[in-house]
Amino acid sequence: FWCAVPDSRSTDWRNVSGSNGQACFFFNNGCDISCDKCDGRTGQVIHPKFIWTGTGTAPDWSDPTKQLLPDPKHPSAVTPGARPDDPKSTRLSICKQPKRKATICAPELRTLNPDTECHSEQDYFQFAPWRAPGSAPVHDACGVAGGV
């Protein structure tokens, strides 16, 4: 699985690369708040694409100008085939039938897409562990070397 980090060769911190090797693989891959257990293989499959519609320097992700918009050429943040149990799915959750929802919905507490409606299809990270602290299952509290 690819682990995104800011690309040191770019002046735009939003450009990412996988240059950190396995540093991120001490996490529990395939765990989100929607399921009772991790799937062990679904890593970072949510990759929303945005376009800057303004002029000048693009803002940070909070985008007070409202000119950093989802790219219409990429209607889903999840590429079909990213979910091994359902190859055509573009669902955001690991589970087909999510059991829990995000509890952190206040825009000032969110980092990406803070102004989208909570639990909407544009709320790309609604099932991420940080959106309902203490709710996501883990394989091991210390992580799993190798990522699976």
Side-chain angles (χ1 to χ4, degrees):
F1 296 107
W2 191 68
C3 187
V5 295
D7 188 341
S8 63
R9 296 169 295 182
S10 175
T11 57
D12 185 343
W13 62 270
R14 291 166 302 167
N15 289 332
V16 295
S17 79
S19 64
N20 70 336
Q22 289 201 5
C24 72
F25 290 139
F26 285 92
F27 292 93
N28 290 269
N29 283 345
C31 306
D32 74 17
I33 65 172
S34 73
C35 300
D36 287 333
K37 59 185 198 176
C38 306
D39 74 6
R41 61 181 179 243
T42 308
Q44 298 176 349
V45 299
I46 299 173
H47 299 284
K49 308 247 188 300
F50 294 90
I51 54 172
W52 168 240
T53 61
T55 58
T57 304
D60 65 17
W61 288 114
S62 66
D63 189 23
T65 64
K66 308 291 185 247
Q67 294 176 317
L68 190 61
L69 304 173
D71 187 342
K73 293 179 185 173
H74 301 276
S76 172
V78 178
T79 304
R83 302 283 182 215
D85 65 337
D86 190 358
K88 294 182 181 178
S89 176
T90 59
R91 71 178 186 273
L92 296 171
S93 68
I94 290 172
C95 289
K96 286 184 180 182
Q97 304 292 322
K99 298 180 182 204
R100 287 174 288 283
K101 291 184 173 187
T103 57
I104 295 179
C105 288
E108 65 273 13
L109 299 176
R110 293 164 54 190
T111 53
L112 286 174
N113 292 0
D115 295 320
T116 59
E117 182 180 337
C118 192
H119 307 128
S120 70
E121 284 295 312
Q122 289 73 41
D123 186 4
Y124 303 125
F125 298 98
Q126 62 183 289
F127 296 108
W130 57 86
R131 293 289 301 278
S135 298
V138 295
H139 287 293
D140 184 285
C142 295
V144 183
V148 292

